[in-house]
Amino acid sequence: MKAFFFDQDGILYDSMPKHARAWAEVMHRHGFDFSEEDAFVNEGRTGKEVIREAIWELEHREASEDEIWDIYEEQCEIFRTLGEVEPIEGVVDVLRFLKKNKKEIWVVTGSAKSSLLDNLNTRIGPFFDRSRMITAFDVTHCKPDPEPYLLAWDRSKYPKKDCCVIENAPLGVRSGKAAGLFVIAVNTGPLADAALWNEGADLVFPSMKELLEWLKSSD
Ligand code: MG
């Protein structure tokens, strides 16, 4: 493996519990039936898509771009009030190991939150380069569509067999597998491992520590 495509939320940042709380809160304010667990099930989709679908399901109508952005900004505001997010436990050791071994580190995320994207190098460590980041702003179709991972693979110039996806969300695993890539899931959230295996994950680890051991043993 030469290039590693890291998902952001739940893989680099321990941000999913706060995302889930912010989603449940903003949806409740707007009258949508949406739990914290729904946020984990939908993880990987862009905020825009989640809101569009919620409005369609509740009110059977197409949401306007303005109302989608208003609700999304409100979700971002609630997210910010919940405090700083920390790196996922053990991920810095994984990144350090890969950097030392001259592997390419990419970020492939549906996130549009500049508060997280712009601060990866200060909050996580000096591992990231903007030219190796695919975000919500770079693609037409977000996860679970394969486009984000296909774009990372295309830009990396490596054959698919040399690329590896690191994901925590079922829809992210689906995206990586649909792109024809090897996908390692690290289950950092509350869903059962089966949700990740069922989407075709090649490996599922309970934490970054086990991922690091596997990387060392297969190097
Ligand atoms: Mg994630």
Side-chain angles (χ1 to χ4, degrees), residues 31-116:
F32 302 116
D33 182 19
F34 195 93
S35 68
E36 291 190 23
E37 185 175 345
D38 289 331
F40 282 95
V41 171
N42 277 281
E43 188 191 347
R45 289 205 167 98
T46 60
K48 259 176 90 169
E49 287 302 315
V50 171
I51 296 161
R52 192 192 311 280
E53 198 166 299
I55 291 175
W56 180 260
E57 280 192 7
L58 188 76
E59 298 173 2
H60 310 291
R61 64 178 177 84
E62 202 58 59
S64 75
E65 287 295 303
D66 283 351
E67 71 182 318
I68 288 175
W69 276 113
D70 285 348
I71 297 174
Y72 185 66
E73 275 178 19
E74 204 177 327
Q75 193 269 354
C76 292
E77 191 51 50
I78 299 167
F79 179 80
R80 277 191 292 272
T81 66
L82 297 175
E84 297 281 302
V85 295
E86 298 295 322
I88 282 278
E89 190 177 346
V91 76
V92 174
D93 296 331
V94 170
L95 293 164
R96 205 178 280 137
F97 174 81
L98 294 176
K99 191 177 179 185
K100 197 182 91 192
N101 287 280
K102 309 267 188 289
K103 309 295 186 190
E104 277 192 8
I105 293 166
W106 288 70
V107 179
V108 182
T109 177
S111 178
K113 281 188 170 57
S114 57
S115 62
L116 298 181

Side-chain angles (χ1 to χ4, degrees), residues 7-11 16 43 167-169:
D7 171 49
Q8 176 182 269
D9 293 286
I11 285 292
M16 275 310 295
E43 188 191 347
E167 263 288 349
N168 69 307

